[in-house]
Amino acid sequence: MNQLKSREPGSVALPGTLSPSLRGELIAFRRDLHMHPELGNQEFRTTAALKARLEAAGLAPKVLATGTGLVCDIGTWDRARPMLAIRADIDALPIPDVKTVAYRSTVPNRAHACGHDVHTTTVLGAGLVLAELDRQGLLPNAVRLIFQPAEEVLPGGAADAIESGVLDGVGRIIAVHCDPKVDAGRIGLRPGPITSACDRLEVTLDGPGGHTARPHLTTDLVTAAARIAIDVPALLARRVDARSGLAVTWGRIAAGHACNVIPQHAELSGTVRCLDLPGWREAPDLVHAAIDEIATLHRAKSTINYVRGVPPVVNDPVITELLGNAMTARRGLYAIEDTEQSLGGEDFSWYLEHVPGAMARLGVRTPGDTTRRDLHAGDFDVDEEAIEVGVELFTAAALIDAAPKR
């Protein structure tokens, strides 16, 4: 990457690669998680499995106050230097797993279709490797593992984790997110915004109802809902700096039960996404005003439920450079590519409101595979080579970060 000051491969001799036996164990661990997905704040089995494996390695993980998720410190903390934290999200999605594989989800309408099983496994693997290095006296400063629940539940489980103290003593934080557009063996990096803000929007419209033969005597809620669906995004495009990328996208519209009856109630729901923080902060007032204007024009009573989600993930340039140096030390410059800003939301952003950090895109596509896969799809799967890559990235970043500064 031209934005990063990366070392040439081999210029830094770093311990902490995976043994074949641990590599196999981590693949099996990931498949077990994949077979037993749990939704946000319900990740009890996942939490117990992580706790048991970390304790078997001689560590002392602590379950978060919410009842699921863990925090675990490795090594001796030099209090003169804050710790590096490595974060994983552990929850699954409420969709069916439609793959034909031996490790297909065993839970109806539940699937790890966003790669959180991979995120969890890579952080676990990094923790096990770092714990062994610490026993050998090769870990200069403590590292904290954060296994966070409920990333998929707005406004995200990160806020609860932070409230429970997971950032106490932490000065920097890193994470990865699976990317099916990047080959396994590679990562994508981007200083600055790498994801977008994401909020939830619910609108209800009410009117007296009536006969479709006499729409002039009542409030035509179907037309009002249709105009809101079409005109709100258009209005916002002229009220916000275009560089903010503020976008309202509807996922659901419902109104009426009979072809000749004007309904008394209509509903719309969707998401509000934004590329930058200034636009995101303006969004609620602007969206409310646009909806109210159109509803009033059509004589409909509007009720708006605007649910704050997450701000954009804005990668710190210095921490992004750390990830670049870590990957270069492990696999060379060829293993890093530039990545674009996604319109997806990620509650890793809440950590960055408190400490600097960065998220990398972890490649999970088998090289040469032309099958199109996407996150949040029932057939989502990964090339499990990505697990080893993620462990290597995290362990190298921890060692480079913890090394005494000259």
Side-chain angles (χ1 to χ4, degrees):
M1 291 183 61
N2 54 17
Q3 299 101 323
L4 302 174
K5 301 173 183 176
S6 299
R7 301 179 177 92
E8 291 301 319
S11 66
V12 180
L14 290 176
T17 55
L18 278 180
S19 66
S21 61
L22 183 54
R23 183 180 187 276
E25 179 190 348
L26 292 176
I27 289 174
F29 191 91
R30 178 259 166 174
R31 293 185 177 188
D32 180 73
L33 293 184
H34 201 85
M35 292 174 67
H36 301 91
E38 297 172 300
L39 300 183
N41 294 318
Q42 301 173 24
E43 311 96 332
F44 297 105
R45 184 185 185 279
T46 302
T47 298
L50 288 165
K51 186 172 184 289
R53 185 61 185 91
L54 292 166
E55 288 177 341
L59 300 171
K62 298 177 181 177
V63 178
L64 299 182
T66 52
T68 61
L70 296 162
V71 62
C72 182
D73 290 351
I74 302 169
T76 302
W77 180 24
D78 174 5
R79 292 182 178 269
R81 179 170 170 76
M83 283 181 281
L84 174 74
I86 309 174
R87 173 267 198 174
D89 39 8
I90 66 175
D91 57 325
L93 286 160
I95 63 175
D97 188 344
V98 300
K99 299 187 301 297
T100 304
V101 293
Y103 49 87
R104 178 178 173 175
S105 172
T106 61
V107 185
N109 299 313
R110 302 286 185 270
H112 269 295
C114 198
H116 293 191
D117 53 337
V118 175
H119 306 166
T120 301
T121 304
T122 59
V123 175
L124 171 64
L128 297 177
V129 172
L130 291 171
E132 179 58 33
L133 292 178
D134 183 54
R135 283 189 285 272
Q136 298 173 26
L138 298 176
L139 185 62
N141 194 24
V143 176
R144 175 166 293 168
L145 311 181
I146 300 172
F147 297 94
Q148 177 216 302
E151 189 276 332
E152 298 287 356
V153 181
L154 288 179
D160 290 332
I162 292 166
E163 187 175 342
S164 70
V166 299
L167 291 182
D168 294 349
V170 168
R172 300 155 305 287
I173 188 167
I174 56 177
V176 296
H177 198 295
C178 290
D179 190 336
K181 300 186 298 297
V182 177
D183 284 350
R186 299 171 64 85
I187 63 168
L189 290 179
R190 176 186 175 90
I194 192 171
T195 71
S196 301
C198 179
D199 299 335
R200 188 171 76 241
L201 177 62
E202 298 167 346
V203 182
T204 60
L205 301 174
D206 291 289
H211 199 292
T212 57
R214 293 175 289 278
H216 59 292
L217 298 180
T218 187
T219 297
D220 186 350
L221 282 191
V222 174
T223 297
R227 295 318 311 179
I228 286 173
I230 295 169
D231 292 345
V232 165
L235 275 176
L236 292 172
R238 293 296 178 266
R239 296 182 180 181
V240 182
D241 188 329
R243 291 169 294 184
S244 294
L246 182 64
V248 173
T249 305
W250 304 104
R252 176 178 173 270
I253 300 178
H257 300 284
C259 66
N260 61 344
V261 177
I262 293 175
Q264 295 176 300
H265 186 76
E267 298 176 354
L268 304 90
S269 59
T271 58
V272 182
R273 299 181 187 271
C274 190
L275 297 176
D276 63 19
L277 283 169
W280 181 66
R281 292 185 176 120
E282 285 187 275
D285 289 342
L286 292 170
V287 170
H288 272 79
I291 292 171
D292 286 341
E293 285 178 30
I294 298 167
T296 299
L297 181 65
H298 291 273
R299 299 182 297 175
K301 178 184 177 183
S302 62
T303 303
I304 303 167
N305 182 27
Y306 192 110
V307 181
R308 268 306 201 193
V310 294
V313 172
V314 182
N315 280 346
D316 179 83
V318 174
I319 311 301
T320 307
E321 182 179 340
L322 170 66
L323 291 172
N325 287 336
M327 193 63 179
T328 302
R330 291 296 194 204
R331 300 205 170 203
L333 276 171
Y334 78 93
I336 302 171
E337 61 183 65
D338 293 322
T339 192
E340 61 187 10
Q341 183 177 4
S342 164
L343 279 172
E346 232 290 352
D347 77 351
F348 184 70
S349 54
W350 291 122
Y351 298 104
L352 306 187
E353 297 282 298
H354 300 270
V355 297
M359 170 175 281
R361 306 260 186 228
L362 180 65
V364 297
R365 178 179 63 192
T366 299
D369 185 3
T370 59
T371 304
R372 181 179 177 180
R373 291 190 173 86
D374 202 0
L375 301 172
H376 290 212
D379 63 348
F380 177 76
D381 205 356
V382 305
D383 184 325
E384 290 170 320
E385 168 71 11
I387 295 171
E388 183 169 4
V389 176
V391 173
E392 288 183 355
L393 175 69
F394 285 142
T395 54
L399 290 170
I400 293 171
D401 179 76
K405 301 299 184 283
R406 296 182 180 179

